[in-house]
Amino acid sequence: MKTNKILSAVAALIMLSACSLKEEPYGFYSEDNFYKTAADAEAALMYAYGDLTYLEYSRAVFFLGDMPSEELTTKSDASAENQDLNLWKVDNFKTNITLENFFKYAFIGINRANGVIQNVENATFDEAKRKQFLGEAYFLRAWNYFNLVRNFGLVPMHTTMVDQLDETSAPLAKDLDEVYDLILGDCRRAAELLPVYPKPVLGRTDCVAAQSLAAKAYLYVASAKENGVKLYREMKRQTEEMYDSAAYFAGEVVDHQTTYGFSDNLLDIYDVEKSNGPEHIFLMSMDRSGVSEGQYSKISKMFIPYVDGATIYLMQGSSNTLIPSHDGWSEYQTTPVFYNSYDPADKRKTELIVTKVYRADGTISAQYPGKLTYPFCRKYIDPKFDGDKTSTRPFLIRFSDIALVYAEAAGPSARSYELVNFIRQRAGLGALSPNLSKADFRKAVINERKFEMAFEGDYMYDLRRTNRIQSIPEAQSLGEDQTTFYPIPQAEINLNGSLR
């Protein structure tokens, strides 16, 4: 009996990364008894989604997307790997475990998505479900490759399931066009195959998520090429065509569906009980009821300082209502430079960054500066926490993100101004200056992203694509070869002869 090339969510056998990663075997499914039903296919698809919630992968959202910028720093006794990322100790990057784990888990996700694509393509169960599962798998493959290309540049290309050791030594893509051909092609396929859900579904993606990812990828290429970023400047794609495509796909999101939209209240966006709110195009599926970390989240512990080792209370905006939270581990620390860069009237500062914590009776327990050693992000708070278990989740794609993508890509149109001004006015700020040039308008939008997308694993990529990494103090003395991309981990090079 020939063994099937994809393993279900409950029966993993051998899953390999681009080069080497092996998971523990749990058993075989054969071609005679697997993928015969939609339930089989959905189990395998959930296995592919599950890769995103691995501790080493989900925390890297922040370690790679925020920590190396001036937005965050970390505690003095943090792991050496994360200290190196924070301080731009580039000589240690090839053996950095955080980078190595991120690289290999991205390829695990790609491999699992490839397995679903191969086996669902010609499946004979319900056609609507077949298209949905196939579309979600294409999205997940594109998502993982987009994460890889933004961090590592040229990476091995896998478009089929790897289940044999001799299939793991794929060579690097010949150029960035090859990588983005796959990403953008997968986004388009996903958008064609997937429905638009009547309301957001936690942990799952739909047509709007695929359109959003396409918009982000097109914008990344356009701005990176325009700003002369290494490898992007040699791409065959034309800058204005990429901006136009980014505006098209983002426009499909902001103008041509009704499921998603702006939340009027900032705190509602980050309320763990409102995960199906209109802002949430793609959220990780973590819940405090889970059995193991990944099923539940400890992300809040990473942002919150250690205060007294007991329950702390936070003011809920300007309502004079207190909500409880555990205190934390002080791993992701807001820098004073970043905190002070906000407009004093910005609600994203006054309501989403905490400078005072309270006791249950309403008296102040600690404040910054003082016993509270840094002002901390409160986007990840769960008042119903169960010990260390919370329902706080990384915000992978938000409607406001895509609204800003549209504005940047389209330039200073009336619609672009409308979208940016809604975001600013929601934050308690005035409208953007009218009649800006295209260049000045785009700079203003990118600056708005700095505050709107803060602490969501996004800022470093805006610095990368606009060629501004040298603005980070620790990176100022480094050259573009050291800062544009992280090196492929040495452990992967050792195991993949094609990379040597």
Side-chain angles (χ1 to χ4, degrees):
M1 186 177 291
K2 182 179 177 184
T3 57
N4 193 285
K5 290 186 176 182
I6 176 64
L7 306 170
S8 80
V10 295
L13 173 62
I14 298 174
M15 304 295 292
L16 301 169
S17 79
C19 308
S20 65
L21 184 70
K22 183 186 293 185
E23 295 187 73
E24 292 299 317
Y26 295 96
F28 286 99
Y29 268 85
S30 77
E31 289 180 346
D32 293 333
N33 64 15
F34 187 54
Y35 276 100
K36 297 300 184 185
T37 69
D40 294 333
E42 190 166 24
L45 179 64
M46 292 303 98
Y47 192 45
Y49 274 112
D51 172 75
L52 300 179
T53 64
Y54 276 123
L55 180 64
E56 297 88 347
Y57 201 23
S58 61
R59 288 189 181 176
V61 168
F62 308 103
F63 279 122
L64 301 188
D66 292 315
M67 185 67 69
S69 74
E70 77 270 26
E71 190 176 287
L72 293 177
T73 186
T74 192
K75 58 186 179 180
S76 59
D77 60 348
S79 70
E81 289 80 10
N82 294 327
Q83 289 281 16
D84 288 346
L85 289 169
N86 181 44
L87 298 174
W88 283 87
K89 293 186 176 180
V90 295
D91 291 343
N92 299 333
F93 282 175
K94 286 186 75 71
T95 55
N96 185 287
I97 298 300
T98 299
L99 291 173
E100 182 181 329
N101 283 331
F102 185 79
F103 188 92
K104 73 182 182 182
Y105 280 107
F107 273 106
I108 288 175
I110 288 165
N111 202 39
R112 293 177 181 181
N114 279 336
V116 175
I117 291 167
Q118 283 181 212
N119 285 274
V120 172
E121 184 72 52
N122 298 311
T124 57
F125 53 76
D126 178 77
E127 179 68 4
K129 288 187 178 294
R130 189 189 72 83
K131 287 183 176 180
Q132 179 182 341
F133 299 158
L134 192 59
E136 289 179 85
Y138 277 123
F139 173 91
L140 289 172
R141 185 168 71 179
W143 177 264
N144 283 295
Y145 264 117
F146 189 47
N147 280 334
L148 285 166
V149 73
R150 292 188 297 175
N151 284 288
F152 298 98
L154 300 180
V155 292
M157 301 300 293
H158 283 279
T159 57
T160 58
M161 173 70 184
V162 173
D163 68 347
Q164 302 293 332
L165 287 174
D166 60 1
E167 297 173 344
T168 63
S169 296
L172 293 178
K174 63 180 182 295
D175 53 32
L176 287 185
D177 283 290
E178 182 180 358
V179 185
Y180 278 98
D181 280 346
L182 179 66
I183 293 168
L184 296 169
D186 281 358
C187 288
R188 288 176 177 272
R189 292 186 194 96
E192 291 168 358
L193 290 164
L194 286 168
V196 178
Y197 298 140
K199 64 180 181 179
V201 177
L202 180 63
R204 300 290 289 268
T205 55
D206 64 359
C207 174
V208 177
Q211 292 167 336
S212 298
L213 182 56
K216 288 173 70 71
Y218 275 116
L219 179 68
Y220 204 98
V221 173
S223 58
K225 183 165 185 177
E226 181 176 49
N227 287 285
V229 176
K230 182 182 176 181
L231 297 185
Y232 285 90
R233 57 186 177 241
E234 286 89 28
M235 290 184 72
K236 298 180 181 67
R237 290 177 165 82
Q238 299 302 307
T239 299
E240 288 307 315
E241 289 179 5
M242 295 298 97
Y243 275 127
D244 288 347
S245 293
Y248 170 78
F249 280 103
E252 292 295 296
V253 174
V254 299
D255 288 331
H256 297 137
Q257 50 78 40
T258 58
T259 298
Y260 304 93
F262 287 120
S263 292
D264 292 329
N265 186 292
L266 281 174
L267 291 174
D268 285 348
I269 299 171
Y270 304 103
D271 186 335
V272 296
E273 302 302 324
K274 297 178 179 179
S275 61
N276 65 345
E279 281 271 346
H280 301 313
I281 295 174
F282 186 28
L283 272 174
M284 282 192 189
S285 57
M286 295 173 173
D287 187 86
R288 70 182 79 90
S289 64
V291 175
S292 58
E293 189 170 2
Q295 295 174 331
Y296 64 81
S297 168
K298 293 184 181 180
I299 289 168
S300 52
K301 302 285 285 189
M302 306 293 280
F303 281 97
I304 301 173
Y306 179 83
V307 181
D308 292 314
T311 299
I312 61 175
Y313 292 83
L314 311 178
M315 194 67 71
Q316 186 76 336
S318 58
S319 66
N320 292 321
T321 301
L322 292 174
I323 61 169
S325 174
H326 52 60
D327 69 357
W329 297 330
S330 306
E331 192 81 31
Y332 305 149
Q333 301 186 10
T334 310
T335 68
V337 169
F338 184 70
Y339 177 71
N340 291 329
S341 68
Y342 280 84
D343 186 304
D346 195 331
K347 291 181 181 179
R348 294 169 298 194
K349 178 181 185 179
T350 60
E351 295 188 3
L352 297 179
I353 300 180
V354 175
T355 57
K356 293 179 182 178
V357 299
Y358 298 83
R359 302 180 184 91
D361 63 5
T363 59
I364 295 174
S365 171
Q367 61 184 0
Y368 171 84
K371 185 179 178 181
L372 199 65
T373 54
Y374 61 91
F376 68 90
C377 166
R378 62 138 299 155
K379 290 184 175 182
Y380 306 94
I381 297 295
D382 184 353
K384 297 181 181 179
F385 64 95
D386 179 8
D388 287 348
K389 298 167 66 173
T390 79
S391 297
T392 55
R393 310 167 179 104
F395 303 95
L396 301 180
I397 303 178
R398 274 205 296 124
F399 184 86
S400 292
D401 176 13
I402 306 308
L404 291 172
V405 168
Y406 175 87
E408 184 182 344
S413 66
R415 181 59 169 148
S416 295
Y417 267 104
E418 179 185 2
L419 293 166
V420 178
N421 286 337
F422 180 94
I423 290 169
R424 287 180 58 80
Q425 289 161 2
R426 180 175 64 186
L429 302 177
L432 277 183
S433 298
N435 304 316
L436 292 172
S437 68
K438 182 182 288 188
D440 287 342
F441 181 81
R442 283 177 172 160
K443 287 178 182 178
V445 174
I446 292 168
N447 188 62
E448 201 62 44
R449 292 182 62 84
K450 175 180 178 179
F451 303 111
E452 179 64 25
M453 304 303 297
F455 314 112
E456 298 183 33
D458 197 81
Y459 185 47
M460 263 302 299
Y461 301 117
D462 285 344
L463 293 178
R464 285 189 184 281
R465 68 184 176 87
T466 55
N467 213 354
R468 292 182 294 139
I469 292 180
Q470 274 71 25
S471 67
I472 302 168
E474 294 83 359
Q476 285 178 353
S477 63
L478 303 174
E480 71 169 357
D481 289 344
Q482 297 171 299
T483 59
T484 306
F485 302 111
Y486 294 120
I488 289 180
Q490 187 61 48
E492 297 291 339
I493 294 172
N494 292 344
L495 291 161
N496 183 348
S498 297
L499 303 181
R500 295 172 198 161

